[in-house]
């Protein structure tokens, strides 16, 4: 009986994960508003009744996926912020971590930007619930402390904004930039891989005394 319970629990977790992976694909292509539960069920290879058994509504399914993404980000960012590393190392870990995550899921940034623009109140509440804003503010605070200690120079808000913008833009504007450069998908991915180290050197030159 105990073994049966464990097997059923594992099967449930596997099915939930399959559904979430399928939903990510559908949400990224169609957006929250345009996504359909039937399309998610088809992508997951299950019937719609089973999909509703695991996740009652489309909004609930999206909230779970968004929460998972924010939890992962909070854990990664929290570990960077609370570490004893010097500020430049913290920034380096952020830049590299962000880039690696974005390269593996390049459509996510544009999706989030579009969804925030279309439904700002809904996403603002989700950000508050996930505590993502607190973690981001913590990173900005670390930059401000480093400036006070004269480890780096500049306006803390401008530095923070520049780091975020430099990280996000190549992914959020991927199609436009790739077309402007005349790069294939493979060439552009290679460029993004190389950009991690280039970007860090660029930031160091901009903010070190």
């Amino acid at each position: 009986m105990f073994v049966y319970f464990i097997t059923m629990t594992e099967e449930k977790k596997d099915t939930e994960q399959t559904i979430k992976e399928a939903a990510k694909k559908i949400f990224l292509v169609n957006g929250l508003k345009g996504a359909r539960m039937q399309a998610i069920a088809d992508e997951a290879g299950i019937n719609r009744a089973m999909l509703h058994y695991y996740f009652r509504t489309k909004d609930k399914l999206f909230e779970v996926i968004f929460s998972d993404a924010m939890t992962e980000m909070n854990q990664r960012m929290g570990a960077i912020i609370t570490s004893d590393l010097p500020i430049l190392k913290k920034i380096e870990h952020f830049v590299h971590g962000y880039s690696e995550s974005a390269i593996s899921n390049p459509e996510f940034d544009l999706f989030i930007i579009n969804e925030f623009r279309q439904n700002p109140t809904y996403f603002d509440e989700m950000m508050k619930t996930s505590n993502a804003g607190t973690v981001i503010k913590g990173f900005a605070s670390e930059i401000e402390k480093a400036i006070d200690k004269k480890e780096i120079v500049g306006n803390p808000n401008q530095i923070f904004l520049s780091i975020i913008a430099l990280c996000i833009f190549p992914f959020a504007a991927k199609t436009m930039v790739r077309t402007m450069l005349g790069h294939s998908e493979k060439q552009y991915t290679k460029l993004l891989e190389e950009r991690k180290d280039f970007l860090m050197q660029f930031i160091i030159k901009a903010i070190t005394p």
Side-chain angles (χ1 to χ4, degrees):
M1 183 68 179
F2 182 65
V3 174
Y4 175 77
F5 175 76
I6 292 176
T7 302
M8 290 296 291
T9 301
E10 290 176 348
E11 287 180 358
K12 183 176 180 180
K13 287 182 179 178
D14 289 343
T15 303
E16 287 179 350
Q17 188 59 36
T18 298
I19 292 171
K20 287 193 286 187
E21 291 300 323
K24 286 179 187 177
K25 293 179 182 179
I26 300 301
F27 283 135
L28 286 174
V29 172
N30 300 285
L32 175 57
K33 187 177 180 180
R36 296 290 179 265
M37 290 292 270
Q38 185 61 58
I40 295 171
D42 292 343
E43 181 68 29
I46 61 175
N47 59 49
R48 188 164 175 172
M50 182 175 287
L51 176 58
H52 282 287
Y53 170 77
Y54 282 93
F55 300 96
R56 291 176 57 193
T57 66
K58 180 177 69 173
D59 284 350
K60 180 61 179 176
L61 176 54
F62 182 81
E63 286 173 15
V64 170
I65 293 172
F66 188 83
S67 177
D68 286 350
M70 290 300 102
T71 296
E72 180 185 353
M73 186 198 75
N74 287 347
Q75 290 174 344
R76 185 169 64 247
M77 287 288 292
I80 294 171
I81 293 169
T82 58
S83 71
D84 294 328
L85 293 171
I87 188 62
L88 291 179
K89 275 294 180 184
K90 290 183 178 182
I91 294 174
E92 180 180 359
H93 281 302
F94 171 78
V95 169
H96 279 240
Y98 176 86
S99 297
E100 288 167 6
S101 176
I103 287 171
S104 65
N105 194 6
E107 292 84 13
F108 186 72
D109 283 335
L110 181 58
F111 168 75
I112 291 297
I113 290 172
N114 284 339
E115 294 299 320
F116 261 107
R117 180 173 55 82
Q118 293 178 19
N119 199 345
T121 302
Y122 175 71
F123 276 85
D124 185 50
E125 287 301 317
M126 289 188 70
M127 288 289 284
K128 289 177 181 176
T129 302
S130 69
N131 203 37
T134 302
V135 176
I136 295 297
K137 287 178 182 177
F139 186 47
S141 177
E142 288 295 300
I143 293 174
E144 189 169 1
K145 290 176 184 176
I147 291 174
D148 291 339
K149 295 177 182 177
K150 302 191 185 306
E151 296 172 352
I152 57 177
V153 295
N155 180 292
N157 291 330
Q158 291 291 354
I159 291 173
F160 176 74
L161 180 61
S162 295
I163 292 171
I164 296 297
L166 288 167
C167 285
I168 291 178
F169 183 78
F171 296 97
K174 175 185 172 183
T175 302
M176 180 186 72
V177 176
R178 186 168 71 81
T179 301
M180 290 170 65
L181 292 174
H183 280 16
S184 66
E185 187 75 25
K186 185 176 180 180
Q187 288 174 319
Y188 194 68
T189 300
K190 184 174 183 293
L191 181 66
L192 294 176
E193 288 280 2
E194 297 169 344
R195 180 176 167 77
K196 291 183 289 186
D197 291 329
F198 170 83
L199 181 54
M200 193 58 220
Q201 292 303 314
F202 185 86
I203 293 170
I204 289 173
K205 289 180 181 179
I207 65 177
T208 50

